[in-house]
Amino acid sequence: MKVYDTLVIGGGQAGISVAYFLMRSQLEYLVLDDQERAGGSWLQTWDSLKLFSPTEYSSLSGWAMPKSENEYPTKNDFISYLEQYEMRYNFPIQRQTKVLSVCKENNLFLVKSNKGIFYSKTLVSATGRGQNRFIPTYPNQKLFTGKQLHSIDYRNSDDLFGKKILVVGGGNSGAQILAEVSEVAQTQWVTLEEPYFLPDDIDGRYLFNSATQKFLGKANSSSVIKVSLRNIVMVDSVKQVRNRNVLLAKRPFLSFYEQGVIWKGGDKEEFDIVIWCTGFKASLKHLDTLNIIENNRIKTQYTRSIKEPNLWLVGYGSWTGFASATIYGVGKTARQTVKEIVEFLNH
Ligand code: FAD
């Protein structure tokens, strides 16, 4: 029976960031990923997606993303960078391997997958959020006879010409998909609160610098404009539609009816399609068997599970380290995670 020092579940940017630091240790490790190729959930994003983080802020530890003609990389630029990053370091990654459950056996982790069983002394879960889409529930949602899709299922606006479309969600996905769809269809945007657009000259660069200052405890409220990684970055496609009144958002409707939605005042409005740009929750199903999940989170000290101290969680969002669900932020949490694993195994 082979026992790894560490198994990393998930081979997206978080999993391979952890692999980078594991490679520099003497530990024996393996990354298990259910996709056919490199790219993680970037493989499932819409065709025209451009990153809001410029090239120098879209790099993982050790090897910077090569400059291209695009200041903001396209989704394919970034997937190609992830492919090259993996090849450059030749990480041990077993693809098309979906982890189904994890349990403890004699102080070891027993990891069951569609490709068999693996054993390890420690475990890193880096399964991201792409497989756990969040769609809020509204009264009579099932009565609606139009189409409903989540942003992860949206590819392009090819089949949407002339349709009437409701886009729900006030983040970057909502704003960018709305901008694209509005070129060919009639749209209405729904957001919980008035959307917050960052000034034109503030892009991922500023967001990440501000995030880093916060991470280092150096944020100075008088010098830092109040920004959050959830604010809308004015990428070109969003800037282009702002003069067409497309970005005017309404607050949520009361309920669905067969042909559309009913607004707060009682007015009904027909729609053909609803696109839910309402985000994701951590994909933790494979860890259900450990009985440590509360409200779809696991209590952690930085990235280490408190109840199951041989388990680390990387890349899920602020509860696993500040800006850990971003390309720029994940390296810090990956480095610290591997440091803790090495210390733990050397004791
Ligand atoms: P993922 O990329 O989801 O990787 C997880 C991997 O684990 C996947 O391959 C998945 O298939 C696999 N997996 C899941 N469950 C299992 C299992 N049980 N067994 C085996 N494998 C499993 N960040 C930025 O820094 N800049 C940006 O411009 C930016 N733009 C974004 C735009 C959009 C539309 C979105 C959604 C996010 C954006 N982000 C951006 C945020 C972030 O960088 C991405 O969400 C990133 O993909 C998260 O990486 P990850 O490795 O944590 O998760």
Side-chain angles (χ1 to χ4, degrees):
M1 177 180 99
K2 181 170 179 62
V3 178
Y4 289 93
D5 289 320
T6 299
L7 284 169
V8 180
I9 308 175
Q13 68 195 36
I16 61 170
S17 294
V18 174
Y20 172 79
F21 291 103
L22 284 170
M23 174 196 75
R24 290 154 40 121
S25 72
Q26 300 303 311
L27 302 184
E28 196 172 357
Y29 72 97
L30 176 67
V31 180
L32 303 173
D33 184 61
D34 60 2
Q35 304 289 314
E36 282 179 12
R37 49 183 282 227
S41 59
W42 291 100
L43 297 167
Q44 271 94 47
T45 52
W46 64 93
D47 299 345
S48 67
L49 175 70
K50 273 194 173 175
L51 275 63
F52 61 76
S53 42
T55 306
E56 67 271 30
Y57 285 78
S58 300
S59 293
L60 300 178
S61 307
W63 180 57
M65 186 175 192
K67 286 248 180 216
S68 69
E69 73 269 24
N70 302 318
E71 186 185 6
Y72 298 92
T74 63
K75 140 197 178 163
N76 289 333
D77 290 336
F78 189 65
I79 291 171
S80 152
Y81 166 65
L82 290 178
E83 267 162 9
Q84 292 175 59
Y85 187 85
E86 278 187 25
M87 280 195 298
R88 182 184 178 95
Y89 296 114
N90 199 18
F91 302 127
I93 302 183
Q94 184 173 314
R95 286 235 139 76
Q96 294 180 291
T97 304
K98 183 165 186 71
V99 171
L100 305 169
S101 68
V102 170
C103 44
K104 274 312 242 336
E105 199 178 85
N106 300 329
N107 236 11
L108 292 177
F109 284 109
L110 185 160
V111 173
K112 278 192 192 150
S113 79
N114 62 338
K115 295 283 167 71
I117 287 175
F118 301 84
Y119 289 92
S120 69
K121 295 176 196 163
T122 62
L123 198 64
V124 178
S125 186
T127 47
R129 302 189 287 194
Q131 295 187 9
N132 195 6
R133 60 194 68 186
F134 172 69
I135 296 184
T137 46
Y138 280 89
N140 297 332
Q141 202 157 347
K142 288 203 175 118
L143 289 184
F144 179 59
T145 52
K147 193 172 167 188
Q148 298 184 51
L149 72 155
H150 188 273
S151 60
I152 199 142
D153 298 318
Y154 172 79
R155 289 288 161 276
N156 54 54
S157 60
D158 287 357
D159 299 327
L160 304 182
F161 187 81
K163 299 268 191 254
K164 184 137 184 243
I165 299 180
L166 188 68
V167 176
V168 186
N172 282 292
S173 305
Q176 288 181 34
I177 290 177
L178 174 81
E180 179 165 285
V181 167
S182 73
E183 302 284 347
V184 300
Q186 204 186 328
T187 54
Q188 174 60 57
W189 196 17
V190 166
T191 62
L192 282 178
E193 291 155 12
E194 201 52 41
Y196 185 79
F197 301 100
L198 289 168
D200 283 9
D201 54 344
I202 288 190
D203 63 8
R205 218 177 317 237
Y206 185 96
L207 287 180
F208 290 126
N209 282 338
S210 143
T212 309
Q213 292 301 305
K214 256 195 199 172
F215 175 79
L216 297 172
K218 289 187 187 161
N220 167 354
S221 54
S222 60
S223 66
V224 179
I225 302 174
K226 224 177 142 214
V227 293
S228 144
L229 291 168
R230 276 188 244 140
N231 297 154
I232 297 168
V233 181
M234 295 307 287
V235 295
D236 285 345
S237 61
V238 181
K239 274 186 207 159
Q240 276 156 21
V241 297
R242 76 177 145 199
N243 296 332
R244 288 201 282 110
N245 283 347
V246 167
L247 300 176
L248 299 177
K250 280 192 177 183
R251 299 295 79 75
F253 42 90
L254 286 179
S255 75
F256 279 94
Y257 73 106
E258 284 82 348
Q259 285 82 32
V261 300
I262 305 175
W263 298 106
K264 280 207 174 115
D267 290 346
K268 289 181 168 181
E269 189 169 356
E270 292 185 9
F271 288 98
D272 300 305
I273 300 172
V274 178
I275 307 180
W276 296 102
C277 302
T278 39
F280 304 89
K281 290 184 167 183
S283 311
L284 298 174
K285 203 168 185 334
H286 56 293
L287 300 176
D288 271 354
T289 31
L290 292 175
N291 283 325
I292 53 172
I293 304 175
E294 295 165 42
N295 297 325
N296 209 59
R297 284 192 182 183
I298 290 172
K299 283 207 177 99
T300 52
Q301 182 155 27
Y302 200 42
T303 61
R304 191 175 191 175
S305 158
I306 290 172
K307 286 192 179 157
E308 182 48 80
N310 302 2
L311 167 70
W312 282 260
L313 297 118
V314 178
Y316 295 101
S318 51
W319 60 278
T320 55
F322 199 71
S324 69
T326 66
I327 306 160
Y328 189 71
V330 72
K332 291 184 185 67
T333 54
R335 177 199 292 267
Q336 176 65 18
T337 297
V338 173
K339 188 169 170 261
E340 289 178 17
I341 293 174
V342 170
E343 278 167 12
F344 170 76
L345 289 172
N346 286 343
H347 266 100

